[in-house]
Amino acid sequence: MKKIVVLGSLNMDLVTRVHKTPKVGETVLGDGFNEIPGGKGANQAVAIGKLGGHVSMIGRVGKDDFGKKLKDALEKNGVDGAGVLYTDEAPTGTALIMVNDDGDNSIVVIPGANFSMQPENVLQRDLAGKDILLGQLETPIETIEAAFSKAREMGLMTVLNTAPAQVLSPALISNVDVLVPNETEFEILTGHSAESEEGLGKGSKLLFELGVKELIITLGKEGALYLNHEGKRHYMSGYKVDAVDTTAAGDSFIGGLLTALSRGADIEEAMAFAMKVGAVTVTKHGAQSSLPTLAEVESFKGVKRK
């Protein structure tokens, strides 16, 4: 099994349920309040850990109760958290989350300690002995660029989830083997819409010319589309499920994908497994609390969307 290291964010999610998402200037009543470990980086690491993958994490938390709880959550879920260090520069990152009756969420992220992670903080020893580096965009971009450059030099496979959406430098993209955007992120990255064949072709060509080898565009409940620089294409449809909370859907898909790849699955097998992981995730509440175990995924008997 290949060893995965995740560079990314750790947040304490402060979650309430609402009947409907409020409009600007509108006040609505929340139903309940929960503290749930989250952050895109930690979510993806925990997804891999709960599925039985070999995973460690690099990150920063504050010297506060949230920081300790987030570190404990990593270890509890099979993630080596030795690379997650405490800092007194900022409090632990937090996220304010509202989940409405349709299972859709609205999120405000306060980065906190995540943004204290500087390029010099990613050391060669953090990457040594690892096979795959996975990153997202909730830590400083210059730190991500430095880590991916170092990982490429050391021979690691590099995987970048381009969330939250932003324009990226050619220097960073050139050090990415597998790029995983959603449709909105794809358009921001390339200036082309994935909703048309022309836009998909032009946008993917641009990314492949910059050095990306494989591209997986996530399509929400509709599934995901795979393309590579050699012209291969594969579409994987999603499952019909009664979604109650989509908070960690994308993170669980990526965690499932990387876990399967680390075990030697080909891309079609990995996407099929990841789709099941995502489907199980949205049937439960919360971020890390919704991420399934391997046994839950293996017992899932869903119906595919057409």
Coordinates of all heavy atoms in Angstrom, one line a residue, residues 155-225:
G155 N 10.1 12.8 -6.2 CA 9.5 11.7 -6.9 C 8.1 11.3 -6.4 O 7.6 10.2 -6.8
L156 N 7.4 12.1 -5.6 CA 6.1 11.7 -5.2 C 5.0 12.0 -6.3 O 5.2 13.0 -7.1 CB 5.7 12.6 -3.9 CG 6.2 12.1 -2.5 CD1 7.6 12.4 -2.4 CD2 5.4 12.8 -1.4
M157 N 4.0 11.3 -6.3 CA 2.8 11.6 -7.1 C 2.1 12.8 -6.4 O 1.9 12.7 -5.2 CB 1.9 10.4 -7.2 CG 0.6 10.6 -7.9 SD -0.4 9.1 -7.9 CE -2.0 9.8 -8.5
T158 N 1.7 13.8 -7.2 CA 1.1 15.0 -6.6 C -0.4 15.1 -7.0 O -0.7 15.0 -8.2 CB 1.8 16.2 -6.9 OG1 1.9 16.3 -8.4 CG2 3.2 16.2 -6.3
V159 N -1.3 15.3 -6.0 CA -2.7 15.4 -6.3 C -3.2 16.7 -5.6 O -3.0 16.9 -4.4 CB -3.5 14.2 -5.7 CG1 -4.9 14.3 -6.0 CG2 -2.9 12.9 -6.2
L160 N -3.8 17.6 -6.4 CA -4.4 18.8 -5.9 C -5.8 19.0 -6.1 O -6.3 18.9 -7.2 CB -3.6 20.0 -6.6 CG -4.0 21.4 -6.1 CD1 -3.6 21.6 -4.6 CD2 -3.4 22.5 -6.9
N161 N -6.6 19.2 -5.0 CA -8.0 19.5 -5.1 C -8.1 21.0 -5.0 O -7.7 21.6 -4.1 CB -8.7 18.9 -3.9 CG -10.1 19.3 -3.7 OD1 -10.6 19.5 -2.6 ND2 -10.8 19.5 -4.8
T162 N -8.7 21.6 -6.1 CA -8.6 23.1 -6.3 C -9.8 23.8 -5.6 O -10.5 24.6 -6.2 CB -8.6 23.4 -7.8 OG1 -9.7 22.9 -8.4 CG2 -7.3 22.9 -8.4
A163 N -9.9 23.5 -4.3 CA -11.0 24.1 -3.5 C -10.4 24.7 -2.3 O -9.5 24.1 -1.6 CB -12.1 23.1 -3.1
P164 N -10.9 25.9 -1.9 CA -11.9 26.7 -2.6 C -11.3 27.4 -3.8 O -10.1 27.5 -4.0 CB -12.2 27.8 -1.5 CG -11.1 27.9 -0.6 CD -10.5 26.5 -0.6
A165 N -12.2 27.7 -4.7 CA -11.9 28.1 -6.1 C -11.0 29.4 -6.1 O -11.3 30.3 -5.4 CB -13.1 28.4 -6.9
Q166 N -10.0 29.3 -6.9 CA -9.1 30.5 -7.2 C -8.2 30.3 -8.4 O -8.0 29.1 -8.8 CB -8.3 30.9 -5.9 CG -7.3 29.8 -5.5 CD -6.5 30.2 -4.3 OE1 -5.6 31.0 -4.4 NE2 -6.9 29.7 -3.1
V167 N -7.7 31.3 -8.9 CA -6.8 31.2 -10.0 C -5.4 30.7 -9.5 O -5.0 31.2 -8.4 CB -6.6 32.6 -10.7 CG1 -5.5 32.5 -11.8 CG2 -7.9 33.1 -11.3
L168 N -4.8 29.8 -10.2 CA -3.5 29.3 -9.8 C -2.4 29.6 -10.7 O -2.6 29.8 -11.9 CB -3.6 27.7 -9.6 CG -4.6 27.2 -8.6 CD1 -4.6 25.7 -8.6 CD2 -4.3 27.7 -7.2
S169 N -1.2 29.7 -10.2 CA -0.1 30.0 -11.1 C 0.3 28.8 -11.9 O 0.2 27.7 -11.5 CB 1.1 30.4 -10.2 OG 1.7 29.3 -9.5
P170 N 0.9 29.1 -13.1 CA 1.4 28.0 -14.0 C 2.5 27.2 -13.2 O 2.6 26.0 -13.4 CB 2.0 28.7 -15.2 CG 1.2 30.0 -15.3 CD 0.9 30.4 -13.8
A171 N 3.2 27.8 -12.3 CA 4.3 27.1 -11.6 C 3.7 26.0 -10.7 O 4.3 24.9 -10.6 CB 5.1 28.1 -10.8
L172 N 2.6 26.3 -10.1 CA 2.0 25.3 -9.2 C 1.3 24.2 -10.1 O 1.6 23.0 -9.9 CB 0.9 25.9 -8.3 CG 0.1 24.9 -7.5 CD1 0.9 24.0 -6.7 CD2 -0.9 25.7 -6.6
I173 N 0.6 24.6 -11.1 CA -0.1 23.6 -11.9 C 0.9 22.7 -12.6 O 0.6 21.5 -12.8 CB -1.0 24.3 -13.0 CG1 -2.1 25.1 -12.3 CG2 -1.5 23.3 -14.0 CD1 -2.9 25.9 -13.3
S174 N 2.1 23.2 -12.9 CA 3.1 22.4 -13.6 C 3.6 21.2 -12.7 O 4.2 20.3 -13.2 CB 4.3 23.2 -14.1 OG 5.0 23.7 -13.0
N175 N 3.4 21.4 -11.4 CA 3.9 20.3 -10.5 C 2.8 19.4 -10.0 O 2.9 18.7 -9.0 CB 4.6 21.0 -9.3 CG 6.0 21.5 -9.6 OD1 6.7 20.8 -10.3 ND2 6.3 22.7 -9.2
V176 N 1.6 19.5 -10.7 CA 0.5 18.6 -10.3 C 0.3 17.5 -11.3 O 0.2 17.7 -12.5 CB -0.8 19.5 -10.3 CG1 -2.0 18.6 -9.9 CG2 -0.7 20.6 -9.3
D177 N 0.3 16.3 -10.8 CA 0.0 15.1 -11.6 C -1.5 14.9 -11.8 O -1.9 14.7 -13.0 CB 0.6 13.8 -11.0 CG 2.1 13.8 -10.9 OD1 2.7 14.2 -12.0 OD2 2.7 13.5 -9.9
V178 N -2.2 15.0 -10.7 CA -3.7 14.8 -10.8 C -4.4 16.0 -10.3 O -4.2 16.3 -9.1 CB -4.1 13.5 -10.0 CG1 -5.6 13.3 -10.2 CG2 -3.4 12.3 -10.5
L179 N -5.2 16.6 -11.1 CA -5.9 17.8 -10.7 C -7.4 17.5 -10.5 O -8.0 16.9 -11.4 CB -5.7 18.9 -11.7 CG -6.1 20.4 -11.3 CD1 -5.1 20.9 -10.3 CD2 -6.2 21.3 -12.5
V180 N -8.0 17.9 -9.4 CA -9.4 17.6 -9.1 C -10.2 18.8 -8.8 O -10.3 19.2 -7.6 CB -9.5 16.6 -7.9 CG1 -10.9 16.0 -7.8 CG2 -8.5 15.4 -8.1
P181 N -10.7 19.5 -9.8 CA -11.6 20.6 -9.6 C -13.1 20.2 -9.8 O -13.4 19.1 -10.3 CB -11.2 21.6 -10.7 CG -10.9 20.6 -11.9 CD -10.4 19.3 -11.2
N182 N -14.0 21.0 -9.2 CA -15.4 20.9 -9.6 C -15.6 21.7 -10.9 O -14.7 22.4 -11.4 CB -16.4 21.2 -8.5 CG -16.3 22.6 -8.0 OD1 -15.8 23.5 -8.7 ND2 -16.8 22.9 -6.8
E183 N -16.9 21.8 -11.4 CA -17.1 22.6 -12.6 C -16.8 24.1 -12.5 O -16.2 24.7 -13.4 CB -18.5 22.4 -13.0 CG -18.9 21.0 -13.5 CD -20.3 20.8 -13.8 OE1 -21.1 20.7 -12.9 OE2 -20.7 20.8 -15.0
T184 N -17.2 24.6 -11.3 CA -16.9 26.1 -11.1 C -15.4 26.3 -11.0 O -14.9 27.3 -11.6 CB -17.5 26.5 -9.8 OG1 -19.0 26.3 -9.8 CG2 -17.2 28.0 -9.5
E185 N -14.7 25.5 -10.3 CA -13.2 25.6 -10.2 C -12.5 25.5 -11.5 O -11.6 26.2 -11.8 CB -12.7 24.6 -9.1 CG -13.2 24.9 -7.7 CD -13.2 23.7 -6.8 OE1 -12.8 22.6 -7.2 OE2 -13.8 23.9 -5.7
F186 N -13.0 24.5 -12.3 CA -12.5 24.3 -13.7 C -12.6 25.6 -14.5 O -11.6 26.0 -15.2 CB -13.2 23.2 -14.4 CG -12.7 22.9 -15.8 CD1 -11.6 22.1 -16.0 CD2 -13.4 23.4 -16.9 CE1 -11.2 21.8 -17.3 CE2 -13.0 23.2 -18.2 CZ -11.9 22.4 -18.4
E187 N -13.7 26.2 -14.4 CA -13.9 27.4 -15.2 C -13.0 28.6 -14.7 O -12.5 29.4 -15.5 CB -15.4 27.9 -15.2 CG -15.7 29.0 -16.1 CD -17.2 29.2 -16.3 OE1 -18.0 28.4 -15.8 OE2 -17.6 30.2 -17.0
I188 N -12.9 28.7 -13.4 CA -12.0 29.8 -12.9 C -10.5 29.5 -13.2 O -9.8 30.4 -13.6 CB -12.2 29.9 -11.3 CG1 -13.6 30.5 -11.0 CG2 -11.1 30.7 -10.7 CD1 -13.9 30.4 -9.6
L189 N -10.1 28.2 -13.2 CA -8.8 27.9 -13.6 C -8.4 28.1 -15.0 O -7.3 28.6 -15.4 CB -8.5 26.4 -13.2 CG -8.3 26.0 -11.8 CD1 -8.3 24.5 -11.7 CD2 -7.0 26.5 -11.3
T190 N -9.4 27.8 -15.9 CA -9.1 27.8 -17.3 C -9.8 28.9 -18.1 O -9.3 29.2 -19.3 CB -9.5 26.5 -17.9 OG1 -11.0 26.4 -17.9 CG2 -8.9 25.3 -17.2
G191 N -10.8 29.5 -17.6 CA -11.6 30.5 -18.4 C -12.6 29.8 -19.3 O -13.2 30.5 -20.2
H192 N -12.7 28.5 -19.2 CA -13.6 27.8 -20.1 C -14.6 27.0 -19.3 O -14.2 26.4 -18.2 CB -12.9 26.9 -21.0 CG -11.9 27.6 -21.9 ND1 -12.3 28.3 -23.0 CD2 -10.6 27.7 -21.9 CE1 -11.3 28.8 -23.7 NE2 -10.2 28.5 -23.0
S193 N -15.8 26.8 -19.7 CA -16.8 26.0 -19.0 C -16.8 24.6 -19.4 O -16.7 24.2 -20.6 CB -18.2 26.6 -19.4 OG -19.2 25.7 -18.8
A194 N -16.9 23.7 -18.4 CA -16.9 22.3 -18.7 C -18.2 21.8 -19.1 O -18.4 20.6 -19.5 CB -16.5 21.5 -17.4
E195 N -19.2 22.7 -19.2 CA -20.6 22.3 -19.6 C -20.7 22.1 -21.1 O -21.7 21.5 -21.6 CB -21.6 23.3 -19.1 CG -21.7 23.4 -17.6 CD -22.7 24.3 -17.1 OE1 -23.4 25.0 -17.9 OE2 -22.9 24.4 -15.9
S196 N -19.8 22.6 -21.9 CA -19.8 22.4 -23.3 C -18.6 21.6 -23.7 O -17.5 21.7 -23.1 CB -19.8 23.7 -24.1 OG -18.6 24.4 -24.0
E197 N -18.7 20.8 -24.8 CA -17.6 20.1 -25.3 C -16.4 21.0 -25.7 O -15.2 20.7 -25.5 CB -18.0 19.2 -26.5 CG -18.6 17.9 -26.1 CD -17.7 17.0 -25.4 OE1 -16.5 16.9 -25.7 OE2 -18.1 16.4 -24.4
E198 N -16.8 22.1 -26.3 CA -15.7 23.0 -26.7 C -15.0 23.6 -25.5 O -13.7 23.6 -25.5 CB -16.3 24.2 -27.5 CG -15.3 25.2 -28.0 CD -15.9 26.4 -28.8 OE1 -17.1 26.5 -28.8 OE2 -15.1 27.2 -29.3
G199 N -15.7 24.0 -24.5 CA -15.1 24.5 -23.3 C -14.3 23.5 -22.6 O -13.1 23.8 -22.1
L200 N -14.8 22.3 -22.5 CA -14.1 21.2 -21.8 C -12.8 20.9 -22.6 O -11.7 20.7 -21.9 CB -15.0 20.0 -21.8 CG -14.4 18.7 -21.1 CD1 -14.1 18.9 -19.7 CD2 -15.4 17.5 -21.3
G201 N -12.9 20.9 -23.9 CA -11.7 20.6 -24.7 C -10.6 21.6 -24.5 O -9.4 21.3 -24.3
K202 N -11.0 22.9 -24.6 CA -10.0 24.0 -24.6 C -9.4 24.1 -23.2 O -8.2 24.3 -23.0 CB -10.7 25.3 -25.0 CG -11.0 25.4 -26.4 CD -11.6 26.8 -26.7 CE -11.9 26.9 -28.2 NZ -12.5 28.3 -28.6
G203 N -10.3 24.0 -22.1 CA -9.8 24.1 -20.8 C -8.9 22.9 -20.4 O -7.8 23.2 -19.8
S204 N -9.3 21.7 -20.7 CA -8.4 20.6 -20.4 C -7.1 20.6 -21.1 O -6.0 20.3 -20.6 CB -9.2 19.3 -20.6 OG -9.6 19.2 -22.0
K205 N -7.1 21.0 -22.4 CA -5.9 21.2 -23.2 C -4.9 22.1 -22.6 O -3.7 21.9 -22.5 CB -6.3 21.6 -24.6 CG -5.1 21.7 -25.6 CD -5.6 22.1 -27.0 CE -4.4 22.1 -28.0 NZ -3.5 23.2 -27.8
L206 N -5.5 23.3 -22.0 CA -4.6 24.3 -21.4 C -3.9 23.6 -20.2 O -2.7 23.8 -19.9 CB -5.5 25.4 -20.9 CG -4.8 26.5 -20.1 CD1 -3.7 27.2 -20.9 CD2 -5.9 27.6 -19.7
L207 N -4.7 22.9 -19.3 CA -4.1 22.3 -18.1 C -3.1 21.2 -18.5 O -2.0 21.1 -17.8 CB -5.2 21.7 -17.3 CG -6.2 22.7 -16.7 CD1 -7.4 22.0 -16.0 CD2 -5.5 23.6 -15.7
F208 N -3.4 20.4 -19.5 CA -2.4 19.4 -19.9 C -1.1 20.0 -20.5 O 0.0 19.5 -20.2 CB -3.1 18.5 -20.9 CG -4.2 17.6 -20.4 CD1 -5.3 17.4 -21.2 CD2 -4.2 17.1 -19.1 CE1 -6.4 16.6 -20.7 CE2 -5.2 16.4 -18.6 CZ -6.3 16.1 -19.4
E209 N -1.3 21.1 -21.2 CA -0.1 21.8 -21.7 C 0.8 22.4 -20.6 O 2.0 22.5 -20.8 CB -0.5 22.9 -22.7 CG -1.0 22.3 -24.0 CD -1.5 23.4 -25.0 OE1 -1.7 24.6 -24.5 OE2 -1.7 23.2 -26.2
L210 N 0.2 22.7 -19.5 CA 0.9 23.2 -18.3 C 1.6 22.1 -17.5 O 2.4 22.4 -16.7 CB 0.0 24.0 -17.4 CG -0.5 25.4 -17.9 CD1 -1.6 26.0 -17.0 CD2 0.7 26.4 -18.0
G211 N 1.2 20.9 -17.8 CA 1.9 19.8 -17.1 C 1.0 18.8 -16.4 O 1.5 17.8 -15.9
V212 N -0.3 19.1 -16.2 CA -1.2 18.1 -15.6 C -1.3 16.9 -16.4 O -1.4 16.9 -17.6 CB -2.6 18.8 -15.4 CG1 -3.6 17.7 -14.8 CG2 -2.5 20.0 -14.4
K213 N -1.2 15.7 -15.7 CA -1.3 14.4 -16.4 C -2.7 13.9 -16.4 O -3.1 13.3 -17.4 CB -0.3 13.4 -15.8 CG 1.2 13.8 -15.9 CD 2.0 12.7 -15.3 CE 3.5 13.0 -15.5 NZ 3.9 14.2 -14.8
E214 N -3.4 14.1 -15.3 CA -4.8 13.5 -15.2 C -5.7 14.6 -14.6 O -5.3 15.3 -13.7 CB -4.8 12.2 -14.4 CG -3.9 11.1 -15.0 CD -3.9 9.9 -14.1 OE1 -3.1 9.9 -13.1 OE2 -4.6 8.9 -14.4
L215 N -6.9 14.6 -15.1 CA -7.9 15.6 -14.6 C -9.2 14.9 -14.2 O -9.7 14.1 -15.0 CB -8.1 16.6 -15.7 CG -9.2 17.7 -15.6 CD1 -8.8 18.6 -14.4 CD2 -9.3 18.4 -16.9
I216 N -9.7 15.1 -13.0 CA -11.0 14.6 -12.6 C -11.9 15.7 -12.2 O -11.6 16.5 -11.3 CB -10.8 13.6 -11.4 CG1 -9.9 12.4 -11.8 CG2 -12.2 13.1 -11.0 CD1 -9.6 11.5 -10.7
I217 N -12.9 16.0 -13.0 CA -13.9 17.0 -12.7 C -15.1 16.5 -12.0 O -15.8 15.6 -12.5 CB -14.3 17.7 -14.0 CG1 -13.1 18.2 -14.8 CG2 -15.3 18.9 -13.7 CD1 -13.5 18.7 -16.2
T218 N -15.3 16.9 -10.8 CA -16.4 16.4 -10.0 C -17.7 17.2 -10.4 O -17.6 18.4 -10.5 CB -16.1 16.5 -8.5 OG1 -15.8 17.8 -8.1 CG2 -14.9 15.6 -8.1
L219 N -18.8 16.4 -10.5 CA -20.0 17.0 -11.0 C -21.2 16.9 -10.0 O -22.3 16.8 -10.3 CB -20.4 16.2 -12.3 CG -19.4 16.1 -13.3 CD1 -19.8 15.2 -14.4 CD2 -19.0 17.5 -13.9
G220 N -20.8 16.9 -8.7 CA -21.8 16.8 -7.6 C -22.6 15.5 -7.7 O -22.0 14.4 -7.9
K221 N -23.9 15.5 -7.6 CA -24.7 14.3 -7.6 C -24.6 13.6 -8.9 O -25.0 12.4 -9.0 CB -26.1 14.6 -7.2 CG -26.8 15.5 -8.1 CD -28.2 15.8 -7.6 CE -29.0 16.7 -8.6 NZ -30.4 17.0 -8.1
E222 N -24.2 14.3 -10.0 CA -24.2 13.7 -11.3 C -23.0 12.8 -11.5 O -22.9 12.0 -12.5 CB -24.2 14.8 -12.4 CG -25.5 15.6 -12.3 CD -26.7 14.8 -12.5 OE1 -26.7 13.8 -13.2 OE2 -27.7 15.2 -11.8
G223 N -22.0 12.9 -10.6 CA -20.8 12.0 -10.8 C -19.5 12.7 -11.0 O -19.3 13.8 -10.4
A224 N -18.7 12.2 -11.9 CA -17.4 12.7 -12.1 C -16.9 12.3 -13.5 O -17.3 11.3 -14.0 CB -16.3 12.3 -11.1
L225 N -16.0 13.2 -14.1 CA -15.5 13.0 -15.4 C -14.0 12.9 -15.4 O -13.3 13.8 -14.8 CB -15.9 14.1 -16.4 CG -15.4 14.0 -17.8 CD1 -15.9 12.7 -18.5 CD2 -15.8 15.3 -18.6

